[in-house]
Amino acid sequence: MALLQRFLRLIAFQTERERVVILGSGWAGYTVARGLDPKKYQAVVVSPRSYFAFTPLLASTSVGTLEFRTAMEPIRTRRTHVDFFQGWADQVDFKNKKITIEEAVEERAQSTAGVEERDAGESKEHRHERREVEVQKGKLFDLTYDKLIVTVGCYSQTFGTPGVKEHAMFLKDVGDARKIRNRILACFETAALPTTTDEQRKQLLNFAIVGGGPTGIEFSAELHDIITEDLARIYPELVKFSKITVYDVAKKVLPMFDEKLAQYAMDTFAREGIDIKTDHHVEELRPGAPDENVSSKDDHLVYTLKVKEGGALGVGMVVWSTGLMQNPFVANALSHVHEIPNDFRRLEGPSNDPGNLHWCVKIDEKTGSVVTDTRLRLKLVADTKEDTKPEAILDDVFVLGDCAIMEGTQYPATAQVAAQKASWLAKRLNKGDIEKTSGFAWRNMGVMAYIGNWNALLQGGGNTGGISGRLAWIVWRGAYLTKSVSWRNKILIPVYWAINWLFGRDVSRF
Amino acid sequence: MALLQRFLRLIAFQTERERVVILGSGWAGYTVARGLDPKKYQAVVVSPRSYFAFTPLLASTSVGTLEFRTAMEPIRTRRTHVDFFQGWADQVDFKNKKITIEEAVEERAQSTAGVEERDAGESKEHRHERREVEVQKGKLFDLTYDKLIVTVGCYSQTFGTPGVKEHAMFLKDVGDARKIRNRILACFETAALPTTTDEQRKQLLNFAIVGGGPTGIEFSAELHDIITEDLARIYPELVKFSKITVYDVAKKVLPMFDEKLAQYAMDTFAREGIDIKTDHHVEELRPGAPDENVSSKDDHLVYTLKVKEGGALGVGMVVWSTGLMQNPFVANALSHVHEIPNDFRRLEGPSNDPGNLHWCVKIDEKTGSVVTDTRLRLKLVADTKEDTKPEAILDDVFVLGDCAIMEGTQYPATAQVAAQKASWLAKRLNKGDIEKTSGFAWRNMGVMAYIGNWNALLQGGGNTGGISGRLAWIVWRGAYLTKSVSWRNKILIPVYWAINWLFGRDVSRF
């Protein structure tokens, strides 16, 4: 009954246009939603976040080089013709072209990185009971679609390292950046108290970054910038205690850059006193100094980071930026067996279609991502005993972004790939020529990484080599400026760069 | 032992200059700290907040007309010569010119209005025990002063109205503004869900403001602005449900403005559909709709506001902006009996000084504020049985801002009075002529209130009458711009006014 009413209310949202439901508001979801022709499609974004986070600027916002909102683009604006529901996709019913959404307007964690499965440890029965309750409470509702675009992205991978999930900082969203900024400043403020010992000061101002990818390196560089440019003047007596260390399990950092550029970064960091410890393995992160045992959660000044090769050391903050884990949505909603009408899917390869097959979503063993064809359509595998299982493509269901992998490719899980797939798909849907075209191909535009002190690495696409230094920095900032979607931020970002260059970064916390 | 170490460490902070310890970082504390000559004085600010909140802009930041940081000035900057400890003043020892500070770097409530006594319900013994523990944990430390300036301000007064402390929003600090902004947008986002009934939509978008002073009126105006200018375009189907109502126990709002101007505001609000209900008494605020009984804290969409004259109504948010209550610091640290060396104080009036008297801080019966002489020095009353108790002035201890009242005056508890007292005191201390001057006198610069849609009321000082409308608005914004202390914000504020006028306010939450 309640469900029926809800369903009826939804009719109101129906229009003659085809409804395209987009799950997620990251690089893929936000780009495709804005790319769809509003005259042809009703784009409906479903996401726990009310905005798109412009991830390349997160490191800058986490130290106050930029204000948080300069890295945010609200999904709802005066101009965009995109409908939005704030919630999590909970179930997908391919047969009736319907998804079940759990509303999440008050979701506490809405602006922070997904780390752990939301329904972690919940048995199927438990989960079912909870959902029953939520149906009564009206927390769940159904939404029908003509086309479904899944761009739910990935969670942060902690490899089960004890304490990391609870005590480390992540850097995937604006809420993460805010937590980091407040923590850095709180560490210095605490170190400035007369009640703090020099030993505690050393530990409070000891910052560890785990993961030597672009995010970890750029954050270390930005952290070094704020310490040398601002905090050194504001807390002159404390700077001698501060230390930045980057840990990585691999032999080298920035693997996506060629040797020369990576070396340039290492040399720069060495000169600036940022330690890079490759071949190091983090074993644990716990609250309290190495020599104390803390009981209550808030009863500690610092944390203890246990490194296999370095023992236990006291740190003020650990920023964790390594590894992606598959979004639980894939396991909960997609991977199990589905009943799919014949006319919703087309068979691939040499196999006769008995028509009454049950289907599973095709999952890539290595990455756990959802496999799509070259037109970004969801791939299905028949649930049969045969060795060579029949495969099929599900029409009207597309998967892109970090949670998807296109068959026959090894494209990296980057914003660039996600955004290119999204623009390609939007164009195809607008033109209605997805069948006629040759499928998606990624154009490698190269990679960039800020390495501090107005310097950046810039690696061209393909084997065009790369540049580094001041020029790269200018290109880097320029690229962000033009990429940074809205005009509001095109104006605000240079204003903040100028103001913080003139007056220094704001160090107040709230 | 621990205390001794702590004390020794403090010697390091000593300089040849006189140390002026300033408690609080509001209008009075921040102004006097920046006004003191760094060559003559070592200014040390002790405050639970790491910044000064420019209160006139809070209403604007609470709806996104301005970014939060434009209403903040960090106490620590590259330029200012002000020392800072983040903490609460806990005890004052006038005899040894020493205060005890409880550090508060991690204080959760640091950026929100003080509502309830921090040690509420704690017995003297309890409080003592807790402090013992905190001494061992190093959370308390002592700081000696040559001169002490008390500017701890006031808390928000809820008159014991049930549920207000827990569920109402206040608007005294940046954290309050952030909570309000997120709540307004969450109300609209929730109302946009298909699971929300029209009845619930009416309640979610029913906003109540309690208190018809400038803060309440300006917030209502700003709220009306964001709803009509932005939310009406973003949620066109929802605006018909939204409602703004201002409640006040008094017969009229804006008592500090003359009849004509107050009437102009009433008429404007009436035209804009903002209800002003004078002579109304709020009796309770509880979570849940009028017809539900909610158990758990998060298990409700709306709140129920009980008004004596209007019954129980469902509301999405209540902003409470009425009344000040005395800062608990006054009762905990100041009001009890002190032993004060003769040469620290001077006797007033015709009375012989036995020299062995015990002294209490003089408290104003009506307001509960601390009484000062015309030179803003703390007044003492002898703790004797006599009817006409000897009174004295405590040298080197000054009290200003909302927690102080100058004897023989009825100056209002406003930012203007606090700031003027602070500038006056800084000048006197810099010149060292506090004895020779005639004492402080407030120069009434008039009052201003924004009433929405680019309009403001401007009441000149004394009986110079006032103006209203567009012109007042220009004066109003101009005044804020020049007043807004730092150059950073002098630049940022017009930038945000322009950008939000061009592109609309940002409606994303994080």
Side-chain angles (χ1 to χ4, degrees):
Chain A
M1 189 54 208
L3 262 167
L4 177 66
Q5 286 174 348
R6 224 167 281 129
F7 198 85
L8 289 172
R9 230 174 283 121
L10 273 163
I11 306 299
F13 292 87
Q14 283 289 15
T15 61
E16 314 70 38
R17 301 172 296 168
E18 273 202 339
R19 177 188 293 160
V20 180
V21 172
I22 298 147
L23 307 182
S25 58
W27 278 97
Y30 183 70
T31 310
V32 74
R34 290 169 68 247
L36 288 174
D37 177 356
K39 282 183 236 58
K40 286 184 77 169
Y41 300 103
Q42 177 202 20
V44 182
V45 172
V46 175
S47 169
R49 273 195 264 139
S50 61
Y51 56 86
F52 158 67
F54 189 74
T55 47
L57 294 182
L58 282 183
S60 290
T61 64
S62 71
V63 301
T65 307
L66 290 172
E67 188 51 55
F68 299 116
R69 267 172 221 279
T70 60
M72 296 167 78
E73 296 295 339
I75 296 166
R76 296 184 185 269
T77 74
R78 289 182 185 178
R79 276 162 305 285
T80 51
H81 309 275
V82 176
D83 288 324
F84 172 66
F85 293 123
Q86 190 164 15
W88 303 87
D90 193 76
Q91 292 287 303
V92 182
D93 175 351
F94 292 128
K95 190 179 175 192
N96 303 304
K97 290 193 151 190
K98 188 180 79 175
I99 58 168
T100 306
I101 297 164
E102 180 185 343
E103 57 143 297
V105 173
E106 291 297 353
E107 178 80 27
R108 293 273 168 287
Q110 65 174 289
S111 66
T112 54
V115 183
E116 164 85 326
E117 177 166 356
R118 279 164 59 234
D119 313 317
E122 240 181 347
S123 69
K124 276 232 169 306
E125 297 64 32
H126 255 100
R127 187 138 180 290
H128 187 68
E129 281 167 29
R130 179 173 57 76
R131 293 188 55 245
E132 283 307 306
V133 176
E134 285 169 351
V135 171
Q136 277 139 39
K137 281 203 192 144
K139 280 191 170 170
L140 293 176
F141 63 95
D142 295 342
L143 186 63
T144 56
Y145 64 83
D146 300 300
K147 288 182 166 51
L148 178 66
I149 302 178
V150 179
T151 68
V152 293
C154 281
Y155 277 23
S156 292
Q157 175 65 273
T158 67
F159 308 103
T161 318
V164 171
K165 195 173 79 244
E166 300 83 355
H167 307 298
M169 301 284 186
F170 298 87
L171 192 45
K172 284 196 75 177
D173 204 339
V174 182
D176 298 320
R178 180 166 185 268
K179 278 161 84 181
I180 290 175
R181 182 173 181 177
N182 280 339
R183 178 61 186 170
I184 296 167
L185 298 171
C187 285
F188 273 85
E189 202 56 66
T190 308
L193 290 167
T195 52
T196 308
T197 66
D198 279 359
E199 180 53 28
Q200 289 173 321
R201 292 189 169 110
K202 243 193 235 95
Q203 297 174 339
L204 272 166
L205 304 186
N206 187 13
F207 301 106
I209 291 88
V210 182
T215 308
I217 294 297
E218 287 193 345
F219 173 74
S220 317
E222 293 272 5
L223 179 58
H224 181 264
D225 283 355
I226 187 182
I227 290 175
T228 52
E229 292 167 16
D230 298 285
L231 300 176
R233 306 197 204 178
I234 294 167
Y235 305 92
E237 71 285 2
L238 292 179
V239 156
K240 62 172 181 289
F241 296 109
S242 84
K243 180 101 196 73
I244 304 173
T245 313
V246 180
Y247 295 92
D248 201 304
V249 290
K251 292 244 169 308
K252 65 194 282 281
V253 295
L254 298 173
M256 62 290 300
F257 289 86
D258 56 44
E259 206 53 64
K260 213 175 98 292
L261 287 176
Q263 193 52 52
Y264 178 86
M266 305 276 275
D267 299 345
T268 312
F269 274 27
R271 256 202 323 282
E272 290 170 344
I274 302 176
D275 260 11
I276 296 192
K277 293 194 190 296
T278 50
D279 264 322
H280 276 60
H281 301 75
V282 171
E283 294 181 321
E284 188 197 2
L285 178 63
R286 63 169 183 81
D291 55 4
E292 52 176 355
N293 277 327
V294 287
S295 43
S296 89
K297 209 181 139 300
D298 300 331
D299 181 20
H300 58 90
L301 274 184
V302 299
Y303 297 90
T304 294
L305 182 70
K306 261 187 73 188
V307 181
K308 193 166 155 223
E309 295 77 6
L313 21 95
V315 293
M317 176 178 71
V318 170
V319 174
W320 190 270
S321 70
T322 173
L324 296 177
M325 107 181 204
Q326 217 23 261
N327 190 311
F329 170 79
V330 172
N332 293 345
L334 292 185
S335 51
H336 50 71
V337 175
H338 300 270
E339 197 190 323
I340 294 161
N342 297 5
D343 56 338
F344 281 15
R345 48 151 181 85
R346 64 196 64 202
L347 226 58
E348 274 195 333
S351 165
N352 60 327
D353 185 357
N356 54 6
L357 288 170
H358 278 62
W359 298 90
C360 297
V361 168
K362 187 174 183 185
I363 301 290
D364 177 63
E365 280 83 2
K366 197 161 137 294
T367 60
S369 320
V370 177
V371 179
T372 73
D373 72 349
T374 59
R375 289 172 175 79
L376 312 183
R377 290 173 296 202
L378 181 66
K379 285 211 72 175
L380 300 167
V381 186
D383 180 40
T384 65
K385 301 272 152 297
E386 306 164 34
D387 299 346
T388 57
K389 299 177 167 33
E391 298 201 346
I393 294 159
L394 189 54
D395 282 333
D396 300 331
V397 177
F398 305 87
V399 191
L400 38 157
D402 294 353
C403 66
I405 187 155
M406 194 169 108
E407 63 182 349
T409 67
Q410 237 106 64
Y411 298 156
T414 62
Q416 199 180 91
V417 173
Q420 284 185 26
K421 280 183 174 179
S423 326
W424 180 88
L425 182 59
K427 203 177 288 129
R428 296 284 74 77
L429 292 178
N430 290 343
K431 292 196 174 159
D433 62 358
I434 198 152
E435 282 307 325
K436 305 179 199 71
T437 52
S438 55
F440 172 78
W442 174 47
R443 179 144 169 277
N444 186 349
M445 309 294 288
V447 268
M448 284 181 282
Y450 179 64
I451 55 171
N453 188 29
W454 301 38
N455 273 263
L457 306 179
L458 175 48
Q459 171 104 58
N463 301 327
T464 58
I467 58 169
S468 53
R470 201 57 53 106
L471 173 62
W473 181 84
I474 290 154
V475 177
W476 182 81
R477 294 230 148 161
Y480 278 179
L481 256 188
T482 46
K483 256 196 189 165
S484 169
V485 268
S486 68
W487 272 102
R488 157 195 293 276
N489 284 332
K490 277 200 180 69
I491 296 166
L492 277 177
I493 289 166
V495 166
Y496 272 104
W497 277 336
I499 278 183
N500 288 325
W501 177 74
L502 281 170
F503 305 111
R505 298 168 177 87
D506 184 332
V507 296
S508 36
R509 288 166 291 129
F510 72 100
Chain B
M1 189 56 207
L3 261 167
L4 177 66
Q5 287 175 349
R6 222 166 284 128
F7 199 84
L8 289 172
R9 230 174 284 122
L10 273 164
I11 306 297
F13 291 87
Q14 284 288 15
T15 61
E16 315 70 37
R17 302 172 296 168
E18 273 201 340
R19 177 187 294 161
V20 181
V21 172
I22 299 148
L23 307 182
S25 59
W27 278 99
Y30 183 70
T31 310
V32 73
R34 292 168 68 247
L36 288 173
D37 177 355
K39 283 184 236 58
K40 284 184 78 169
Y41 300 102
Q42 178 202 19
V44 182
V45 172
V46 175
S47 170
R49 273 194 267 142
S50 60
Y51 56 87
F52 158 66
F54 189 74
T55 47
L57 294 182
L58 282 183
S60 289
T61 64
S62 71
V63 301
T65 307
L66 290 172
E67 187 51 58
F68 299 116
R69 269 172 219 281
T70 60
M72 296 167 77
E73 297 294 340
I75 295 165
R76 295 184 185 270
T77 74
R78 290 182 184 177
R79 278 162 302 286
T80 51
H81 309 273
V82 177
D83 289 323
F84 172 67
F85 293 123
Q86 190 164 15
W88 301 88
D90 194 76
Q91 291 287 304
V92 182
D93 176 350
F94 292 128
K95 189 178 175 191
N96 303 304
K97 288 192 151 191
K98 188 179 79 177
I99 58 166
T100 305
I101 297 165
E102 179 185 342
E103 57 142 297
V105 173
E106 292 296 355
E107 178 81 24
R108 294 273 168 285
Q110 64 175 289
S111 65
T112 55
V115 183
E116 165 85 324
E117 177 166 356
R118 279 165 58 234
D119 313 319
E122 240 182 347
S123 69
K124 276 232 169 307
E125 296 65 35
H126 255 100
R127 187 138 181 290
H128 188 69
E129 280 167 29
R130 179 172 58 76
R131 294 189 56 245
E132 283 307 306
V133 176
E134 284 169 351
V135 171
Q136 276 139 40
K137 281 203 192 145
K139 280 192 172 169
L140 293 177
F141 62 96
D142 294 342
L143 186 63
T144 56
Y145 64 83
D146 300 301
K147 287 183 166 51
L148 178 67
I149 303 179
V150 179
T151 67
V152 293
C154 281
Y155 278 23
S156 292
Q157 175 65 272
T158 68
F159 309 103
T161 317
V164 171
K165 193 172 80 248
E166 300 83 355
H167 308 297
M169 301 284 186
F170 298 87
L171 192 45
K172 284 196 76 175
D173 204 338
V174 182
D176 299 320
R178 180 167 186 269
K179 278 161 82 182
I180 290 175
R181 182 171 181 177
N182 280 339
R183 179 59 186 171
I184 296 167
L185 298 171
C187 284
F188 274 85
E189 202 56 67
T190 308
L193 291 167
T195 51
T196 307
T197 66
D198 280 359
E199 180 53 28
Q200 289 172 322
R201 293 191 168 109
K202 238 192 243 101
Q203 297 173 338
L204 273 167
L205 305 186
N206 187 12
F207 302 105
I209 292 89
V210 182
T215 308
I217 293 299
E218 287 192 346
F219 173 74
S220 316
E222 293 273 5
L223 179 58
H224 182 265
D225 283 355
I226 188 183
I227 290 175
T228 51
E229 293 167 16
D230 298 286
L231 301 176
R233 306 197 204 179
I234 293 167
Y235 305 92
E237 72 285 2
L238 291 179
V239 156
K240 62 172 181 288
F241 296 109
S242 83
K243 179 103 197 71
I244 304 174
T245 313
V246 180
Y247 295 93
D248 201 304
V249 291
K251 293 245 170 306
K252 64 194 284 282
V253 296
L254 297 173
M256 63 289 301
F257 288 86
D258 56 43
E259 206 52 65
K260 215 175 97 289
L261 287 177
Q263 193 52 52
Y264 178 86
M266 305 276 274
D267 299 344
T268 312
F269 274 27
R271 257 203 321 283
E272 292 170 343
I274 303 175
D275 259 13
I276 297 192
K277 294 196 189 297
T278 50
D279 264 322
H280 277 60
H281 303 74
V282 171
E283 294 180 321
E284 188 196 4
L285 178 63
R286 63 170 183 80
D291 55 4
E292 32 169 19
N293 276 327
V294 288
S295 43
S296 88
K297 210 180 137 301
D298 300 330
D299 181 20
H300 59 90
L301 275 185
V302 299
Y303 297 90
T304 294
L305 182 70
K306 260 185 74 188
V307 182
K308 192 166 154 221
E309 295 78 4
L313 22 94
V315 293
M317 176 178 71
V318 171
V319 173
W320 190 270
S321 69
T322 173
L324 296 176
M325 94 178 218
Q326 219 20 263
N327 191 312
F329 170 79
V330 172
N332 293 344
L334 293 185
S335 51
H336 51 71
V337 176
H338 300 269
E339 197 189 325
I340 292 161
N342 297 5
D343 57 338
F344 282 11
R345 48 154 180 84
R346 64 195 62 200
L347 229 57
E348 273 196 332
S351 165
N352 60 328
D353 185 356
N356 54 6
L357 289 171
H358 278 58
W359 298 90
C360 297
V361 168
K362 187 175 183 184
I363 302 290
D364 176 63
E365 280 83 4
K366 199 162 135 290
T367 62
S369 321
V370 178
V371 179
T372 73
D373 72 348
T374 58
R375 289 173 177 80
L376 311 184
R377 290 173 296 202
L378 181 66
K379 285 211 70 175
L380 300 168
V381 187
D383 181 41
T384 64
K385 301 272 152 297
E386 308 163 35
D387 299 344
T388 56
K389 299 175 165 43
E391 298 200 348
I393 294 159
L394 187 54
D395 282 333
D396 301 329
V397 177
F398 305 87
V399 190
L400 39 157
D402 294 353
C403 66
I405 187 157
M406 194 170 110
E407 64 181 349
T409 68
Q410 237 107 69
Y411 297 156
T414 61
Q416 198 180 91
V417 172
Q420 282 186 28
K421 280 183 175 178
S423 325
W424 180 88
L425 181 59
K427 202 176 289 128
R428 296 284 75 76
L429 292 178
N430 290 343
K431 292 197 174 158
D433 63 359
I434 198 155
E435 281 308 323
K436 305 179 199 69
T437 52
S438 55
F440 171 79
W442 173 47
R443 179 144 167 276
N444 185 350
M445 311 293 289
V447 269
M448 284 182 282
Y450 179 64
I451 55 171
N453 187 29
W454 301 38
N455 273 263
L457 307 179
L458 174 49
Q459 169 103 56
N463 301 326
T464 58
I467 58 168
S468 53
R470 204 55 54 106
L471 173 62
W473 181 86
I474 290 154
V475 177
W476 181 82
R477 295 228 147 161
Y480 278 179
L481 257 187
T482 45
K483 255 195 189 167
S484 169
V485 269
S486 69
W487 271 102
R488 157 195 295 275
N489 284 333
K490 277 200 180 66
I491 296 166
L492 277 177
I493 289 167
V495 166
Y496 272 104
W497 277 336
I499 279 183
N500 287 326
W501 177 73
L502 282 170
F503 305 110
R505 299 167 176 87
D506 184 332
V507 296
S508 38
R509 288 165 293 131
F510 72 102

